[in-house]
Amino acid sequence: MANSDPDADLKTLLQKLDSKSGLELSPSSINSQITPVLSAFLPSAAPSARSLAHLVISKLVSNARPSPSAVTASSYESSQETATQNLTRLFSPIIESRLSETSLEEIVPALGLFTALFQIDPATASGIFAKDGVVEAIMDVPDLFEGKNGITASQAVAALLSQASGSKPCRPIVQAHSVSWLQDQVRRDTVDPGVRAAAANALTKLSRGTAEDASSDTMSSLGGPATDSTVEDAKRKDDEEQLAKLMKNLIVDSKEPAKPGQPLRGSSQSILDAVEGLAYSSMDANVKESLSTDAPFLTRLFSLVPPPKKHQTGAKPTVNITSEALPPEEKASVALLYGVCVIVLNLVAFRPKLSEEEKQVDRLKRMTKEGARTGGKLADPDAKEAEEPLDLDAAVKRRCKRVLKAGVLPALVSMSYRKESEGIRRALGRIFLSLVDDKENRGKIVQGGGVKALQRIIEASFTSLKEAPAAPPPKKPPSKFDSTAAGGSSSSAKSLDPQDLPAIQALAKLSITASPLLLFGPDASSSLDAVNPLSHLLLNPSSTLLQKFESLMALTNLASLGPVLASRVATQKEPGLGTVLNKTETLLLDDNTMVRRAATELICNLVASEDVWERYTGEKPDGTRSEESDKVLVNRLRLLLAMADVEDVQTRLAASGALAMLSNARDVSRLMLGKMENGAEKTFRVLVDLIAPSHEVDEDENGGDAPPTPEIQSQLAYRGVVCTRMLLTNLTSDADTLKSVVKAAKSTDLGGALVKALSARENAGNQEMLAAGADALKWLIGKGVEIVI
């Protein structure tokens, strides 16, 4: 099977496949032409040949399968089934004929091709695996060889079974024919570590996959015979914990990985298999806890992440993790790093917070699961399932601290340079989000380079979105196995996939509790680059309410740095998604008190920008009037006035602060007191309540907002007094408006409220407030309003 120039032969095959001519895709012809592909899976083959072989297989599959855009929705499924049948007829003879041989040079390449086919086209590989006699032939292979050849053959069989265990149709076959052999490889200490790692990986995937299959089939089993699933689950978990312990020890005891450019062999491949297996088994709570408390393991795991190469520090994301364009050693490196990411993510991930609707669905699932276990007797719908203590937030926080102490940050920062890997980027984003959840960790993450790492991850996500081709409308409902369902995004909407948002959310959390000058640079201009991702988090249609809330708070912090940042935030917009300002104003009316508060605080900070000033006052920077109608301006001011009258004290502080600043514009007095319906009466009632409230704050829907403290009340009064002074002294309206203003001042006892505020002990030292109050009282007295002291 040797070839003097295998790369040249493989490239010729690729050229023929690209042109879709010169290569007859039939079982009779392909057998001879695919010889270079098989040769690439020999242990002695060069990495470049193996990479080209993967490309050839991928091209064969893609040519045989119709594009979703090329067929109608009604014929899509049938066309895919036909393609699977054709590909099975194409590859099955190649694999089966060589499995019947007794030569290592014939069998190992066939197993390698079979393994690659599982990775590239699971449907076809599963069909071949299910054929009569195939799995029996595979399980005969280890007995044909001894010594090094035996290790090579067993390694190839274990790797294939690991892939097959990831396929639902193949799991029952592996369970029936191969599980004993896999268990034997794991139990025996004399077995090569590489074979043990691959076998342990296969058993882990088989165990977890079988459990998931049983869970998904629960509904169909409802009403069947009762099974003691509790005992079975306990045994399964115990077996998985033993496998995890084995794989953990293999990693700790392993030597350094292979050098770049060299094919994975020996300990390097065993590390990769062990990491992949732990990525599955670390979803179990007990395994998570065991791994997080093993400091030598964590140290060794993080040491598997190499420092970034010089060229990576400026590399652009051009290759997806699933791309076959990466050479084998690079693909192995990406797979290893992704496995490390998944393990860390499993250790630090918090349980998702469920909405009320999701809680109901979860309860129904538990009822159904219990019904299947007891032979149709449904569980009590009001019974609460005991939560796993090791999955509670307190336990997760402890694990986060352990991985930080063990040195995870340098590994995370290094992996943030792997911009070509979408999977690594998204896993890193979720890891950082979990780590920054605890405010005590945030300082360490900032000091350890976490902000720059997050910025690299976010930048790569936006670059990938920008370079993504326009996606045609889907011809079929996406399945959970569809790549677009799992990680794609609509390029027409130009919004990041929800899986890319955790990295921005982590950056938002850091921006809320730390000064932007500390995070992004010593001057305000250094923070400009943070506006775009934080704005996108607010505008993205897939963002959760929590993500919107945290983006509002982070943008508020940025806008506080001055007019330049405020202007950038105020004018930020996304094609097809809207503007930050419009979205913020919409959220002023949200049902959630915290979201309303955050939106109001952002508006307050944005008033410093010329754009927002003009939007609310109608006054341009040069003093001329904008084209906005009085009605539009009044509606915006009315909304802020309403926010200054809500029960939440912090929202009132922000809204009254915004009004106090806006009232400096001469036209605002005319708009609020003259153009707004019953404007003087409404405005003065709100201002009086700010200046000298006559009632205590009632309990709100979020658990009760206590009456403002004297310090807070002094701040509210200061804002109210300043606003009152400016509205009155700027009033230049007609006699009717003046008459209504004086009448409203008398009916609301505006003068009495001013006197009460100015005589309050907590306001005695505020000279600006005293001066503003005196001006307002002077205006009222001058218009004939009687002031009772």
Side-chain angles (χ1 to χ4, degrees):
M1 294 179 63
N3 194 302
S4 57
D5 191 359
D7 285 14
D9 292 339
L10 289 165
K11 289 176 182 178
T12 300
L13 280 176
L14 275 175
Q15 291 172 357
K16 292 180 180 180
L17 288 167
D18 283 334
S19 64
K20 294 186 180 180
S21 61
L23 185 63
E24 184 183 349
L25 296 181
S26 66
S28 59
S29 62
I30 197 68
N31 194 48
S32 59
Q33 299 186 67
I34 206 168
T35 299
V37 176
L38 289 163
S39 299
F41 291 106
L42 283 168
S44 59
S48 59
R50 195 171 295 111
S51 177
L52 287 168
H54 276 81
L55 282 172
V56 170
I57 299 169
S58 297
K59 198 65 181 178
L60 279 168
V61 171
S62 63
N63 285 353
R65 291 197 177 279
S67 168
S69 60
V71 295
T72 62
S74 58
S75 63
Y76 181 84
E77 295 296 338
S78 61
S79 64
Q80 290 296 318
E81 290 177 6
T82 301
T84 299
Q85 293 171 3
N86 292 336
L87 287 167
T88 300
R89 284 194 292 269
L90 188 71
F91 285 105
S92 184
I94 300 170
I95 294 171
E96 290 188 77
S97 63
R98 284 162 177 79
L99 287 178
S100 64
E101 299 289 341
T102 58
S103 168
L104 189 74
E105 286 72 19
E106 294 287 343
I107 293 176
V108 169
L111 293 172
L113 171 63
F114 206 172
T115 302
L117 192 58
F118 262 109
Q119 297 169 331
I120 296 166
D121 192 19
T124 298
S126 298
I128 298 172
F129 195 82
K131 293 185 69 174
D132 290 341
V134 171
V135 71
E136 289 85 355
I138 293 170
M139 299 317 302
D140 287 340
V141 169
D143 295 331
L144 296 175
F145 307 99
E146 296 179 349
K148 291 184 178 179
N149 287 348
I151 294 173
T152 300
S154 295
Q155 180 82 50
V157 169
L160 174 59
L161 294 176
S162 176
Q163 292 297 325
S165 297
S167 172
K168 183 176 180 178
C170 297
R171 280 193 279 269
I173 303 172
V174 176
Q175 188 73 43
H177 297 275
S178 310
V179 72
S180 297
W181 180 81
L182 290 170
Q183 291 172 340
D184 185 57
Q185 305 308 301
V186 169
R187 291 193 192 103
R188 291 162 50 202
D189 295 337
T190 56
V191 173
D192 179 78
V195 177
R196 294 186 78 194
N201 185 15
L203 286 171
T204 301
K205 293 165 74 172
L206 181 64
S207 176
R208 296 205 67 86
T210 302
E212 290 174 6
D213 296 343
S215 178
S216 64
D217 294 339
T218 294
M219 191 65 73
S220 61
S221 66
L222 186 59
T227 59
D228 194 357
S229 61
T230 303
V231 176
E232 292 178 0
D233 286 347
K235 184 178 183 304
R236 176 182 62 79
K237 289 184 178 181
D238 183 65
D239 290 342
E240 288 182 10
E241 289 174 20
Q242 294 302 315
L243 290 170
K245 184 177 180 180
L246 168 66
M247 291 183 286
K248 180 181 70 172
N249 291 336
L250 285 171
I251 292 174
V252 173
D253 297 338
S254 62
K255 298 178 181 179
E256 292 298 322
K259 297 180 180 179
Q262 298 298 320
L264 285 178
R265 294 195 183 99
S267 63
S268 300
Q269 183 62 52
S270 68
I271 291 174
L272 184 58
D273 287 328
V275 166
E276 183 182 1
L278 284 178
Y280 280 90
S281 62
S282 58
M283 290 186 284
D284 178 79
N286 290 330
V287 174
K288 293 180 198 177
E289 195 69 11
S290 173
L291 296 181
S292 72
T293 55
D294 192 331
F297 163 74
L298 292 176
T299 302
R300 177 67 182 118
L301 182 71
F302 303 151
S303 73
L304 298 176
V305 180
K309 300 175 183 177
K310 289 184 179 180
H311 74 275
Q312 288 176 330
T313 56
K316 293 184 177 180
T318 56
V319 184
N320 187 278
I321 191 172
T322 58
S323 173
E324 295 300 326
L326 285 170
E329 71 280 359
E330 284 298 313
K331 285 195 294 182
S333 175
V334 169
L336 179 65
L337 297 183
Y338 180 67
V340 172
C341 276
V342 172
I343 294 171
V344 176
L345 177 59
N346 287 339
L347 297 185
V348 303
F350 290 87
R351 295 186 70 172
K353 304 295 187 293
L354 301 180
S355 65
E356 287 302 318
E357 182 180 350
E358 290 170 332
K359 288 178 181 177
Q360 291 294 330
V361 172
D362 184 63
R363 187 176 69 159
L364 289 173
K365 286 181 178 179
R366 288 192 285 107
M367 290 170 58
T368 306
K369 182 178 180 180
E370 180 67 12
R373 190 183 71 83
T374 59
K377 182 180 178 181
L378 292 177
D380 180 0
D382 297 322
K384 292 185 178 180
E385 184 179 33
E387 290 188 276
E388 169 57 59
L390 295 177
D391 280 334
L392 296 177
D393 287 358
V396 178
K397 287 183 178 181
R398 289 194 295 270
R399 289 199 291 269
C400 288
K401 291 186 180 297
R402 289 173 197 148
V403 299
L404 282 170
K405 185 178 180 180
V408 72
L409 276 176
L412 299 180
V413 170
S414 180
M415 286 189 285
S416 70
Y417 286 98
R418 298 305 298 252
K419 300 179 181 181
E420 77 278 6
S421 170
E422 181 182 84
I424 290 177
R425 289 201 314 265
R426 290 176 172 175
L428 286 174
R430 292 180 61 194
I431 291 169
F432 273 113
L433 181 58
S434 291
L435 292 177
V436 302
D437 187 81
D438 188 342
K439 292 181 181 179
E440 293 182 3
N441 297 335
R442 295 180 187 179
K444 296 178 182 178
I445 291 168
V446 172
Q447 294 172 4
V451 174
K452 292 293 185 184
L454 285 168
Q455 288 179 310
R456 279 190 291 272
I457 295 166
I458 294 166
E459 178 190 4
S461 297
F462 276 109
T463 303
S464 179
L465 175 67
K466 190 183 301 182
E467 295 177 352
K475 295 270 185 175
K476 66 181 184 73
S479 73
K480 65 178 180 179
F481 300 109
D482 196 303
S483 60
T484 57
S489 58
S490 172
S491 59
S492 60
K494 287 300 178 184
S495 60
L496 290 178
D497 186 276
Q499 296 178 81
D500 292 314
L501 299 181
I504 308 178
Q505 188 179 1
L507 186 65
K509 283 181 180 288
L510 292 174
S511 303
I512 291 168
T513 53
S515 167
L517 299 179
L518 174 65
L519 298 181
F520 307 115
D523 53 71
S525 61
S526 303
S527 301
L528 288 172
D529 289 340
V531 174
N532 180 55
L534 293 173
S535 299
H536 188 89
L537 185 64
L538 176 66
L539 298 174
N540 190 297
S542 299
S543 291
T544 65
L545 190 62
L546 176 61
Q547 289 172 331
K548 288 182 173 67
F549 166 71
E550 291 180 334
S551 67
L552 286 169
M553 294 188 69
L555 289 170
T556 300
N557 236 7
L558 288 179
S560 69
L561 295 180
V564 174
L565 263 298
S567 179
R568 170 65 70 88
V569 173
T571 57
Q572 189 71 23
K573 60 182 179 180
E574 298 272 351
L577 300 179
T579 67
V580 166
L581 201 49
N582 284 339
K583 185 66 176 180
T584 304
E585 289 174 336
T586 300
L587 292 173
L588 288 173
L589 302 173
D590 194 85
D591 292 335
N592 187 283
T593 299
M594 299 296 290
V595 172
R596 287 199 306 269
R597 178 195 296 179
T600 308
E601 290 174 342
L602 178 55
I603 292 292
C604 181
N605 279 8
L606 293 182
V607 169
S609 74
E610 294 178 351
D611 301 271
V612 176
W613 180 267
E614 179 181 338
R615 183 179 178 86
Y616 280 84
T617 67
E619 184 181 284
K620 292 185 176 181
D622 59 5
T624 59
R625 286 275 301 159
S626 70
E627 297 179 0
E628 290 277 26
S629 67
D630 284 351
K631 183 178 180 181
V632 173
L633 294 172
V634 164
N635 286 338
R636 290 172 183 153
L637 291 168
R638 182 189 288 115
L639 184 55
L640 278 181
L641 187 64
M643 291 298 103
D645 195 35
V646 299
E647 295 176 347
D648 180 67
V649 174
Q650 296 301 321
T651 303
R652 294 170 68 201
L653 272 172
S656 58
L659 287 171
M661 289 184 284
L662 292 170
S663 64
N664 283 277
R666 186 170 297 275
D667 225 23
V668 169
S669 176
R670 177 183 67 86
L671 293 167
M672 294 186 71
L673 302 182
K675 293 298 181 179
M676 187 185 298
E677 185 179 357
N678 297 322
E681 179 82 14
K682 291 178 180 178
T683 302
F684 290 161
R685 288 200 180 280
V686 173
L687 292 176
V688 165
D689 201 38
L690 290 170
I691 296 169
S694 59
H695 59 77
E696 293 185 349
V697 178
D698 297 326
E699 188 175 37
D700 70 14
E701 67 270 28
N702 276 356
D705 199 10
T709 63
E711 180 182 357
I712 295 296
Q713 180 53 50
S714 178
Q715 295 178 33
L716 288 171
Y718 176 45
R719 288 159 170 75
V721 169
V722 169
C723 190
T724 301
R725 189 261 300 270
M726 298 310 301
L727 290 177
L728 294 177
T729 57
N730 282 335
L731 187 63
T732 57
S733 298
D734 55 75
D736 289 340
T737 301
L738 184 61
K739 183 179 179 180
S740 68
V741 169
V742 172
K743 181 181 178 181
K746 292 178 179 179
S747 66
T748 59
D749 194 19
L750 180 60
L754 287 168
V755 171
K756 183 178 179 181
L758 297 183
S759 60
R761 181 182 302 175
E762 61 266 21
N763 300 328
N766 191 334
Q767 297 302 317
E768 291 184 10
M769 178 178 174
L770 295 176
D775 288 344
L777 286 171
K778 181 179 178 180
W779 188 95
L780 290 172
I781 293 172
K783 297 299 184 289
V785 178
E786 184 178 352
I787 308 297
V788 180
I789 300 178

